[in-house]
Amino acid sequence: MTDDVETATAAALAGAEVVREGYGKDLGRIDKGAGDFATAADVAAERAILDVIRAARPLDAVLGEEGGRQGPTDTVRLWLVDPLCGTLNYAVGNMLVAVNVALRDGPAAVADPFTGEVFRTDGKTAWLHHEGTDTPLRPTAATALVDVNLDPPFPSAPGFRATALLAHPVFMARFRPRVVSTTLALTWVAAGRRAAYVTDGTGLSESVHFAAGITLCRAAGCVVTGIDGAPLGPDTRGLVAAADADTHSLLMTMLRGES
């Protein structure tokens, strides 16, 4: 286990502790525009995460959802931090949230504040870290559960509409839909708890919201592409993360409008 994996894990756990302690409290909302907002827990969790990263890697830069980019401008080592993925869930008393910490092109960790689980990877292998034990993540499509993100924006419409996928007769016959707007959806694909995850969007591979989950899925052996089947990159549209090639191929057939 590399030091960067341990740093990512410690940082994610530090953020998770703050999120857990703030749960159920009246934290108020910090308006970010366009219906988006943060809570005091988002800000405090990011601060706790940055404290861990700065102590372990003082020469690295950090891009946080709440605080933006901080640290040296001449380093290639950039940590991507989403201190509370699922703020809307959290604000209304729903525990489906995650804390994301990823070193760009390197290790990553996603912590579930309420189960104590940390899904982590060195970029090549992925594990579930729980109560001091690491268990390899083994994706499988056996559940037939597919999480589909229905949150706006929808940059690929009308070519791609998540609602149309849910209404596709093959989808209805083969899968059962779930809607979870959180990085937990990606970690569950890597862990074999979901068959796939589908979302629209742009620039997801280097997004603080998605980078950790994408890294985990890749390391676990999932098939990860854009909604058009293209490899992920700065200009890729959307994201399809599937437990195996057969599930990915079937979803791509539906997304392309083929029978």
Side-chain angles (χ1 to χ4, degrees), residues 6-17 49 52 99-101 109-113 118:
E6 297 299 342
T7 297
T9 302
L13 284 171
E17 181 177 0
I49 292 168
V52 172
V99 176
N100 304 338
V101 179
V110 175
D112 183 329
V118 180

Side-chain angles (χ1 to χ4, degrees), residues 170-206:
V170 177
F171 186 94
M172 290 188 289
R174 176 65 179 82
F175 301 111
R176 289 294 178 268
R178 296 293 184 271
V179 180
V180 179
S181 299
T182 172
T183 307
L184 284 179
L186 282 169
T187 63
W188 288 342
V189 177
R193 301 176 187 178
R194 292 289 193 269
Y197 173 75
V198 181
T199 186
D200 199 353
T202 56
L204 303 187
S205 61
E206 293 196 0

